[in-house]
Amino acid sequence: MSIKNKLALGIESTAHTWSVGIIDFSGNVISLANDMFIPKKGGLHPVLVREQHLNNFMGVINKALSEASISIRDIDLIAFSKSPGLGPILKIGAQVSRLLSQLLKIPIVAVNHCIAHIEIGRLMCEIEDPLTLYVSGGNTIISAYESGRYQIFGETLDIPIGNLIDSFARDIGMPHPGGPKVEKLAKDSSKYLSLPYVVKGMDLSFSGLYTAAKRLLESKDYNKKYDLSDVANSLQETAFAMLTEVTERALAHTGKKEVLLTGGVAANKRLQEMIKYISNEHGARYEVVPLKYSGDNGAMIGWTGVLRYKATGGNIISDTQINPKERMDQISIPWRKGGA
Ligand code: ATP
Ligand code: FE2
């Protein structure tokens, strides 16, 4: 392949997925390679995830390079996810990236993973200034750009939406990731069983919903008056209605004319339908990130790295510390209008 544009190599390493994306400075994805840790049972054990990423990181980098038909020497910029995520996992991405940057003598950019989910959506959907519903295993955030930052208008007070669905799936013996399996189950039901709907101001709470759904499975009425599909459907309907309510209020408050659905849970067709509906009601354009880029991927890290690099240049090595708990509204966005 003849590539004239400059190239960034983005490394995603916040949790289960080690992903490498090669993207040019105009936003064309050249290649994308992933390796995902899937727990045999239980949640993500950082020691096991770390072990898998340490075993596979170079193989995934090589796969992305060979898919792009280039050598590592053709890369002009390294970007990696520095926040938020699991500390031991973030460290692998940071260390590999620092090494590559210094070895190849090319700039390095440290990227916030949540902002990357928004930026890949803006790029892929050609959307300028959306209200964003970012829903994944580790995050549930309603956000929009204002005063130089991605401000947070609503978020979960306890567990994230993807975690709620994955935990429920685990309880019914379905392996990680549970989202697609619960979605399939829910499709077989049109019955709604009452579950706790908890919206506090602009924030959401899913833990009571999780406990109540579990109780439905333990009840004497289970498999008599209702079945597993009915519980899955009720869980989805309640959680997604909560997300939709807060997104709609944020849309009315911010007056944004575009809505973007992003993050791993954005793959869910029922959630897409609900968010599209309220977007239409408010005369806002609705977009969802293409499936390939809705979950964790290196292309989104590479692209956000390019945006920051073009605006303010690379980071010095001492500014590439990981930050497992960093919130996206703490970060200035110099590549957008009004950003400092
Ligand atoms: P983050 O670090 O951004 O929180 P993550 O580590 O959870 O991300 P993602 O790939 O962004 O990773 O999201 C994975 C989540 O998406 C999992 O909880 C998974 O169950 C959920 N998911 C995937 N497909 C669907 C679906 N069709 N319906 C509902 N949830 C889904
Ligand atoms: Fe993610």
Side-chain angles (χ1 to χ4, degrees):
M1 191 189 295
S2 117
I3 298 164
K4 299 204 177 64
N5 214 327
K6 285 193 164 192
L7 297 175
L9 183 138
I11 294 180
E12 158 56 25
S13 167
T14 57
H16 48 68
T17 302
W18 176 272
S19 172
V20 177
I22 297 174
I23 187 162
D24 73 17
F25 275 32
S26 305
N28 302 299
V29 178
I30 314 296
S31 68
L32 181 61
N34 298 330
D35 179 63
M36 189 178 173
F37 174 87
I38 298 178
K40 290 199 177 67
K41 62 177 177 104
L44 288 184
H45 195 302
V47 173
L48 299 177
V49 184
R50 183 172 175 272
E51 189 65 18
Q52 176 158 326
H53 291 351
L54 283 173
N55 284 333
N56 294 332
F57 74 85
M58 202 60 223
V60 182
I61 292 175
N62 283 334
K63 188 161 179 247
L65 289 168
S66 89
E67 256 174 40
S69 307
I70 57 166
S71 115
I72 191 80
R73 301 252 158 225
D74 296 318
I75 298 294
D76 302 286
L77 177 73
I78 300 286
F80 72 98
S81 45
K82 65 143 178 173
S83 65
L86 303 169
I89 312 301
L90 288 166
K91 270 188 200 157
I92 308 173
Q95 285 165 355
V96 169
S97 300
R98 286 178 195 141
L99 185 139
L100 286 175
S101 157
Q102 291 175 83
L103 192 71
L104 300 167
K105 299 189 174 57
I106 55 175
I108 183 169
V109 180
V111 167
N112 174 280
H113 175 98
C114 307
I115 290 174
H117 271 292
I118 296 180
E119 290 305 343
I120 198 73
R122 288 180 62 231
L123 173 72
M124 293 292 164
C125 303
E126 295 180 12
I127 199 163
E128 184 49 37
D129 184 29
L131 176 83
T132 302
L133 174 59
Y134 161 39
V135 274
S136 62
N139 290 283
T140 307
I141 296 177
I142 294 100
S143 156
Y145 182 74
E146 233 177 70
S147 311
R149 287 177 192 230
Y150 283 114
Q151 308 288 354
I152 295 176
F153 290 92
E155 60 191 315
T156 181
L157 296 168
D158 43 47
I159 55 172
I161 176 71
N163 187 267
L164 162 77
I165 298 173
D166 291 338
S167 302
F168 175 76
R170 198 157 62 226
D171 292 342
I172 56 175
M174 291 181 156
H176 191 87
K181 293 144 200 144
V182 173
E183 178 176 24
K184 200 158 170 276
L185 263 178
K187 265 201 202 105
D188 292 335
S189 164
S190 51
K191 193 178 219 164
Y192 180 74
L193 306 158
S194 178
L195 283 169
Y197 181 104
V198 186
V199 174
K200 294 181 181 168
M202 289 293 281
D203 293 326
L204 308 127
S205 164
F206 294 112
S207 60
L209 174 54
Y210 170 61
T211 313
K214 245 174 106 162
R215 283 216 189 99
L216 282 178
L217 300 175
E218 290 154 9
S219 156
K220 61 178 173 22
D221 292 332
Y222 180 52
N223 277 336
K224 292 192 183 86
K225 294 189 179 155
Y226 57 84
D227 63 14
L228 186 55
S229 293
D230 299 330
V231 182
N233 180 51
S234 308
L235 180 86
Q236 275 201 177
E237 288 300 302
T238 310
F240 294 169
M242 288 162 58
L243 290 169
T244 305
E245 178 193 326
V246 177
T247 305
E248 180 171 26
R249 273 197 279 137
L251 190 57
H253 171 78
T254 58
K256 297 285 181 192
K257 294 283 166 254
E258 299 160 325
V259 177
L260 175 68
L261 182 55
T262 190
V265 184
N268 190 289
K269 293 276 184 297
R270 178 61 180 139
L271 180 62
Q272 292 177 10
E273 189 181 20
M274 288 163 105
I275 300 300
K276 187 175 181 186
Y277 180 84
I278 54 125
S279 306
N280 290 343
E281 289 275 290
H282 286 260
R285 184 182 144 204
Y286 158 84
E287 293 288 343
V288 59
V289 178
L291 189 60
K292 190 172 175 191
Y293 301 105
S294 63
D296 292 353
N297 68 87
M300 71 183 193
I301 304 298
W303 177 237
T304 310
V306 168
L307 292 172
R308 185 168 291 280
Y309 178 73
K310 282 183 178 169
T312 53
N315 289 119
I316 51 171
I317 289 291
S318 56
D319 275 347
T320 58
Q321 299 295 332
I322 62 152
N323 189 345
K325 297 240 176 287
E326 188 174 49
R327 283 168 63 84
M328 69 178 184
D329 56 358
Q330 294 171 337
I331 299 168
S332 63
I333 309 295
W335 57 90
R336 290 201 51 182
K337 219 163 83 192

